[in-house]
Amino acid sequence: MKKLLLIAILFVGSLFAQVKGDVEVPYISYQIKMGKGFDAVQANCLMCHSFGYIINQGPQSRDFWAKKTEKMVTHFKAPITKEDAEIVTDYLFKYYGNGKIK
Amino acid sequence: MKRREFLKTSIAASAAILSTTALSAGETHQPVDNRKVSNMAFPEKRPLITYSDRPPLLESPRSTFARGITENDEFFVRWHLPDIPTHIDTDSYTIKIDGLVEQDLEISLKELKNDFEQVEVTAVLQCGGNSRSAFTPIAGGIQWGSGAMGCAKWKGVRLSDLLNRAGLKKDAQWIGFNGKDNAAYYETPNFVRELELEELNDHVIIAYEMNGEDLPYLNGFPLRLVIPGYYSDSWVKMLSNITVTNKYKSLFFMDIAYRVPDNKCECETPQHHFKPTKPITNMNVKSVIGYPENGMKVYHNSHVVVRGVAFDDGHGIREVLVSVDGGKTWDEAELKQENGRYAYTEFRYAYKPTDYGKVTFMTKAINRLGDEQPFAKDIGWNHGGYKYNGIDEVTVEVV
């Protein structure tokens, strides 16, 4: 009985030993197209998420980028001013747009 | 250096996206399949196809679909919020159950593993936006190839056992699940899921183990919800709170994200988004080829074994058909089903190439209800790019 108990304890103890210390998520430096408005992207977007999260949405319309930016304000409560939202949208459409307004 | 090589990968990825815009408007096609894994490994992972570091978004390569169980270090990763705890104190970690229960509970990991029946279920975990890159025009969201899915053996305790221990009050109707990931701003809503009590059966578990090991951090260590048959948006990671209510709370991730048009084709046009919408919930029938891969060369008169996986929401796979003539004729593949109805069904198909040049393998799964995969071109568009399940295609060259 004692032996059985010991085995049970060992079994439980064997879990949770796979990571030594804190995990660290690597930082990725994305190739970013520099241009007018990038400062606003850096200040307003990259606070919360990577540049990869933006560019891997694929090239999109102006309307798409405007709505995404608006979503960040309305649903995710990002403190982006109206003026900055416009600048961010222009930048994204110019460098990561599909050429279509809608 | 790693960074430069990663940049090459990300450039290749954007190029792949750009090329799809040239396709004729509206026709759904094969998902992007030419992205390579990066050289940068995330914690407990091999290098995977990498979209973002914050939040981490990693895709499994096609080769993982040649096996019925996906290795933990190749399993895809998708978080919604950027701030993930990078250290969990397993001695003090608890899961809280409150709301409309007789008794609030706070259960430690040790209690969870000792005081409840331990159960296992093998189940497919697939992002609702898996294969999103198949849609034209490009649907909003990460442009996943086919690798935002995997299948693992999950071990843990039944959700119903926990709820019974707490004792549900009479008017309990909704169960809310919240994990430990956080946004950059306090005001950002948490990624909370709410499921109706009647949706939750005894197969729903709170898992601490995946394929015989602890869950990797990036897959939700130390606890995650496992809802076999459902898309992964409901499988809350780093689960810390379960709240029982009688009223549905309006939540961004429930009301706006992860929804499709509530019509028969679940489709709409970019100009007119269809209303009403419904949550994506149950997975549709799908198969993906793991071997061979696009662009490979195979020898004339050699023996090629096509391998892949098929699954649905738990009704079970009845057959997987393979075509090498563009879908004119179909031949049955051999199936291996040893992990239950929520798991990958493995299929294999022996083929001897007798003609030189290109040959395309197509696979189509059919489930026990008779639901079968459509051709990609017959799948209607939806603005979230959800639920793509087109007949898979891999083209190789016979030399």
Side-chain angles (χ1 to χ4, degrees), chain A residues 66-79:
Chain A
K67 280 191 179 140
K68 276 278 168 184
T69 311
E70 188 194 304
K71 178 171 118 179
M72 297 303 151
V73 177
T74 316
H75 295 293
F76 292 96
K77 312 297 176 198

Side-chain angles (χ1 to χ4, degrees), chain B residues 1 25 30 45 62 81 107 109 133 151 168 189 209 212 278 326 328 339 345 351-352 363 367 386:
Chain B
M1 196 200 135
Q30 291 293 305
K45 297 284 172 184
R62 186 184 274 278
L81 302 176
I107 303 168
L109 291 172
S133 57
C151 177
L168 289 176
E209 217 177 276
K278 61 185 174 190
K328 286 200 272 295
N339 292 320
T345 287
Y351 179 72
K352 190 173 179 180
T363 63
N367 72 3
Y386 295 121

Side-chain angles (χ1 to χ4, degrees), chain B residues 291-299 302 304 395-399:
Chain B
Y291 181 86
E293 298 181 32
N294 277 307
M296 281 182 170
K297 288 184 169 68
V298 298
Y299 284 110
S302 63
V304 177
T395 302
V396 300
E397 198 182 347
V398 182
V399 294

Side-chain angles (χ1 to χ4, degrees), chain B residues 167-398:
Chain B
L168 289 176
K169 288 198 169 156
K170 250 194 200 143
D171 49 345
Q173 199 188 344
W174 291 90
I175 318 283
F177 300 91
N178 194 7
K180 282 225 174 280
D181 48 333
N182 288 308
Y185 295 109
Y186 287 116
E187 296 81 6
T188 305
N190 273 330
F191 186 76
V192 177
R193 304 304 289 169
E194 277 193 325
L195 294 170
E196 205 160 6
L197 197 52
E198 59 186 34
E199 288 179 90
L200 300 165
N201 60 26
D202 271 356
H203 299 150
V204 178
I205 69 169
I206 291 166
Y208 53 81
E209 217 177 276
M210 179 174 171
N211 295 328
E213 298 173 354
D214 297 351
L215 294 171
Y217 259 81
L218 294 178
N219 294 109
F221 179 78
L223 291 176
R224 86 175 298 168
L225 192 60
V226 168
I227 310 180
Y230 266 43
Y231 285 102
S232 60
D233 53 293
S234 298
W235 298 37
V236 175
K237 296 181 282 298
M238 284 189 186
L239 183 63
S240 54
N241 294 80
I242 298 176
T243 303
V244 183
T245 60
N246 58 0
K247 233 209 232 132
Y248 176 77
K249 226 182 351 176
S250 182
L251 300 161
F252 168 77
F253 285 106
M254 293 295 297
D255 293 348
I256 301 182
Y258 295 113
R259 296 180 78 92
V260 286
D262 191 4
N263 54 24
K264 194 157 182 282
C265 68
E266 297 180 346
C267 67
E268 59 196 338
T269 64
Q271 290 74 34
H272 300 284
H273 290 187
F274 187 88
K275 289 215 170 90
T277 59
K278 61 185 174 190
I280 54 176
T281 62
N282 290 65
M283 297 193 287
N284 51 19
V285 63
K286 188 167 184 172
S287 68
V288 179
I289 298 167
Y291 181 86
E293 298 181 32
N294 277 307
M296 281 182 170
K297 288 184 169 68
V298 298
Y299 284 110
H300 182 253
N301 273 338
S302 63
H303 294 273
V304 177
V305 180
V306 179
R307 288 176 189 274
V309 293
F311 61 96
D312 69 345
D313 63 349
H315 287 94
I317 296 301
R318 193 168 70 198
E319 56 186 342
V320 176
L321 303 175
V322 179
S323 176
V324 289
D325 59 6
K328 286 200 272 295
T329 59
W330 296 88
D331 214 1
E332 257 183 77
E334 272 181 68
L335 305 186
K336 191 161 106 185
Q337 302 178 302
E338 53 189 23
N339 292 320
R341 61 195 176 96
Y342 294 114
Y344 279 157
T345 287
E346 291 177 64
F347 68 83
R348 59 176 198 183
Y349 180 75
Y351 179 72
K352 190 173 179 180
T354 50
D355 292 322
Y356 289 100
K358 286 195 169 152
V359 59
T360 298
F361 300 105
M362 293 181 165
T363 63
K364 171 165 75 170
I366 303 170
N367 72 3
R368 296 211 169 98
L369 294 178
D371 295 339
E372 60 179 71
Q373 285 179 267
F375 280 101
K377 67 177 173 55
D378 297 328
I379 296 177
W381 188 87
N382 71 81
H383 75 277
Y386 295 121
K387 297 183 76 171
Y388 171 86
N389 70 332
I391 287 171
D392 199 31
E393 291 182 22
V394 161
T395 302
V396 300
E397 198 182 347
V398 182

